[in-house]
């Protein structure tokens, strides 16, 4: 049985919506930790450009910069030379310093990814580990083990914001789960035969109401004894549910396993249970099938975001109707409307053509739909 830390992302994942960056992923870096709200966006973009052009920062000629992006504190920078991008990433530390900034700001950089999971941000609740280790020491240890991640300030209640690649966030989650599992094994009464420690682990999530957090925790606690729990990015889960539902269900049926899904923000928690007597082998097989299916979708899907933040109610409705009409021409595209934006998920070619059609029909061409 696995203990998995639930992940809830507090900002949308940034995807391959920047067409220029998609075409030049080997020369493009993702920068996390950009101070948000201190300066005008254009000014901050200039400061970032200057930083990554300096030789002491292993920088070079910058071809393009995308800032701001949907994820707060994140920028895309494309260099003219691929080697410069590699040198910048290889540099141990990047400290953004400028007389216009009130303080020096540490940055985290990594190579741009060509998938839906370029950068995510999550809130970790480490309070459950209080007493088992000093939280300050734990955070310092995590920083050393995950240098690509950007860690925010640790608050007195154990909350901390972490930002970086989806894969690294997932590895961080697994490390925390293992640490909790080990500490429980040492400190709690030894479980009976065939039982496992049942604490769900550190919580992660955006700021929510107490009732929302309670509902999420109750779900994890109610499922943790019955089988195996894993988590999926909600975008991938929704795409899987719409276009791969039959394959998903038939695979689980062959394993003698049923699933219960719980969507909470950007993450969907999946609980797997055996139809008959519990079998670790059946659960692991089903888990592997789901993870392989999710991985195949992750490598092939792209997401474009149409921003509606500056649109009035009538214009938002116009875009939603246009998306509904265009959807019939692209049966493999998933459209997810939200209050301030519309996410469009599918293959690169389908998504590109879909967005062009939408902008044309709506009478408004957005050269940079991610802004």
């Amino acid at each position: 049985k696995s203990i998995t830390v639930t992940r809830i992302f507090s900002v949308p994942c940034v995807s391959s919506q920047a067409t220029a960056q998609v075409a030049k992923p080997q020369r493009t870096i993702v920068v996390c930790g950009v101070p948000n709200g201190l300066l005008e966006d254009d000014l901050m973009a200039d400061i970032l450009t200057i930083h990554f052009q300096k030789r002491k920062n292993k920088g070079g000629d910058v071809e393009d910069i995308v800032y701001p992006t949907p994820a707060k504190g994140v920028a895309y920078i494309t260099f003219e030379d691929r080697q410069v991008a590699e040198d910048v990433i290889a540099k141990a530390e990047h400290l953004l310093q400028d007389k216009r900034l009130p303080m020096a700001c540490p940055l985290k950089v990594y190579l741009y990814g060509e998938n839906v999971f370029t950068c995510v941000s999550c809130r970790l609740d480490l309070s459950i580990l209080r007493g088992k280790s000093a939280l300050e020491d734990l955070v310092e240890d995590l920083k050393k083990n995950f240098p690509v991640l950007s860690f925010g300030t640790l608050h007195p209640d154990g909350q901390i914001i972490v930002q970086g690649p989806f894969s690294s966030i997932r590895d961080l989650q697994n490390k925390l789960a293992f640490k909790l599992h080990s500490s429980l094994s040492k400190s709690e009464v030894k479980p009976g035969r065939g039982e496992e420690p049942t604490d769900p682990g550190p919580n992660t999530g955006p700021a929510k109401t107490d009732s929302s957090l309670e509902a999420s925790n109750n779900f994890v606690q109610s499922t943790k004894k019955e089988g195996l729990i894993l988590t999926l990015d909600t975008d991938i889960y929704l795409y899987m549910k719409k276009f791969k539902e039959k394959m998903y269900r038939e695979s689980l049926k062959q394993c003698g396993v049923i699933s219960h899904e719980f969507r909470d923000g950007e993450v969907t928690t999946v609980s797997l249970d055996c139809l008959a007597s519990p079998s670790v082998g059946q659960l692991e097989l089903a888990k592997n099938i789901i993870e392989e299916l999710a991985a195949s979708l992750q490598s092939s899907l792209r997401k474009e975001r149409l921003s509606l933040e500056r649109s009035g109610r009538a214009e938002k409705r116009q875009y939603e109707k246009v998306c509904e009409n265009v959807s019939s021409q692209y049966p493999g595209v998933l459209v997810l409307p939200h209050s301030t934006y519309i996410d469009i998920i599918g293959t690169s070619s389908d998504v590109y053509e879909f967005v062009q059609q939408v902008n044309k029909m709506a009478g408004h061409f957005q050269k940079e739909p991610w802004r």
Side-chain angles (χ1 to χ4, degrees):
K1 175 183 169 185
S2 298
I3 294 180
T4 305
V5 185
T6 306
R7 302 188 305 263
I8 308 294
F9 303 142
S10 55
V11 299
C13 48
V14 181
S15 66
S16 56
Q17 25 199 359
T19 305
Q21 278 63 34
V22 173
K24 311 162 187 175
Q26 296 177 333
R27 295 191 282 119
T28 300
I29 63 172
V30 180
V31 183
C32 294
V34 180
N36 184 57
L38 295 181
L39 301 171
E40 293 294 327
D41 293 339
D42 291 343
L43 186 55
M44 183 59 71
D46 289 340
I47 292 175
L48 287 169
T49 300
I50 292 171
H51 173 88
F52 287 103
Q53 285 178 332
K54 291 182 177 178
R55 182 171 298 179
K56 71 174 184 178
N57 297 323
K58 305 295 182 180
D61 292 335
V62 173
E63 178 181 300
D64 188 29
I65 178 171
V66 177
Y67 181 83
T69 65
K72 292 182 179 179
V74 174
Y76 300 149
I77 295 179
T78 300
F79 296 98
E80 294 185 359
D81 189 347
R82 171 181 175 179
Q83 186 60 49
V84 174
E86 295 177 355
D87 292 342
V88 166
I89 293 171
K91 189 177 185 300
E93 294 182 350
H94 282 276
L95 200 62
L96 188 63
Q97 294 177 303
D98 190 278
K99 63 182 181 181
R100 291 163 290 187
L101 292 173
M103 65 190 77
C105 304
L107 302 175
K108 295 294 182 181
V109 299
Y110 52 91
L111 197 62
Y112 184 92
E114 288 189 86
N115 56 56
V116 142
F117 311 102
T118 300
C119 181
V120 297
S121 180
C122 69
R123 175 179 58 79
L124 290 176
D125 180 3
L126 302 177
S127 59
I128 195 168
L129 289 169
R130 194 186 303 278
K132 297 180 177 66
S133 62
L135 296 189
E136 294 79 5
D137 294 339
L138 172 60
V139 172
E140 290 303 315
D141 178 64
L142 294 175
K143 288 180 179 179
K144 293 177 182 178
N145 282 276
F146 298 92
V148 73
L149 293 178
S150 176
F151 290 80
T153 302
L154 177 65
H155 296 281
D157 61 357
Q159 309 281 326
I160 186 170
I161 299 294
V162 183
Q163 190 175 56
F166 185 90
S167 58
S168 296
I169 294 289
R170 182 174 52 202
D171 292 341
L172 170 65
Q173 153 195 349
N174 292 335
K175 181 177 177 64
L176 290 173
F178 178 78
K179 182 176 182 63
L180 179 67
H181 187 286
S182 299
S183 63
L184 288 174
S185 298
K186 295 176 182 178
S187 62
E188 293 189 348
V189 177
K190 187 175 181 180
R193 185 177 181 182
E195 294 182 350
E196 294 278 353
T198 58
D199 199 302
N203 294 319
T204 61
K208 298 180 178 182
T209 62
D210 291 339
S211 59
S212 177
L213 285 172
E214 182 178 0
S216 177
N217 290 336
N218 286 343
F219 171 80
V220 175
Q221 291 170 4
S222 65
T223 59
K224 63 196 175 186
K225 288 184 179 181
E226 300 169 5
L228 186 149
I229 297 175
L230 67 152
T231 52
L232 300 173
D233 179 272
T234 294
D235 287 336
I236 289 295
Y237 169 74
L238 292 175
Y239 194 93
M240 185 187 302
K241 185 175 178 63
K242 181 171 182 179
F243 299 108
K244 303 291 183 180
E245 175 76 5
K246 184 176 180 180
M247 178 190 302
Y248 177 82
R249 296 299 173 191
E250 287 183 352
S251 297
L252 293 184
K253 185 178 180 180
Q254 291 177 3
C255 296
V257 171
I258 59 174
S259 67
H260 306 280
E261 295 83 16
F262 178 77
R263 286 172 52 194
D264 195 349
E266 295 294 323
V267 165
T268 293
T269 303
V270 180
S271 172
L272 301 178
D273 301 300
C274 290
L275 287 169
S277 58
S279 170
V280 175
Q282 289 175 283
L283 292 173
E284 288 293 342
L285 178 58
K287 174 178 177 289
N288 291 338
I289 290 174
I290 295 175
E291 289 181 337
E292 288 177 5
L293 178 57
S296 67
L297 293 176
Q298 175 182 341
S299 64
S300 62
L301 296 179
R302 302 293 179 265
K303 179 168 70 173
E304 195 83 56
R305 172 160 296 167
L306 295 175
S307 175
L308 303 177
E309 288 186 1
R310 300 179 181 179
S311 302
R313 182 177 298 179
E315 188 176 359
K316 288 180 180 179
R317 185 55 190 155
Q318 180 186 19
Y319 266 100
E320 290 175 358
K321 287 184 177 180
V322 169
C323 285
E324 291 175 5
N325 294 333
V326 176
S327 291
S328 61
Q329 304 174 38
Y330 298 90
V333 169
L334 176 64
V335 178
L336 299 175
H338 298 271
S339 59
T340 58
Y341 58 90
I342 299 175
D343 280 340
I344 302 165
I345 302 173
T347 63
S348 295
S349 57
D350 280 354
V351 167
Y352 177 79
E353 293 174 6
F354 188 104
V355 172
Q356 295 301 309
Q357 278 281 87
V358 169
N359 287 332
K360 183 177 180 179
M361 293 178 66
H364 176 63
F365 289 89
Q366 289 177 288
K367 294 182 179 180
E368 298 177 339
W370 58 88
R371 289 194 177 188

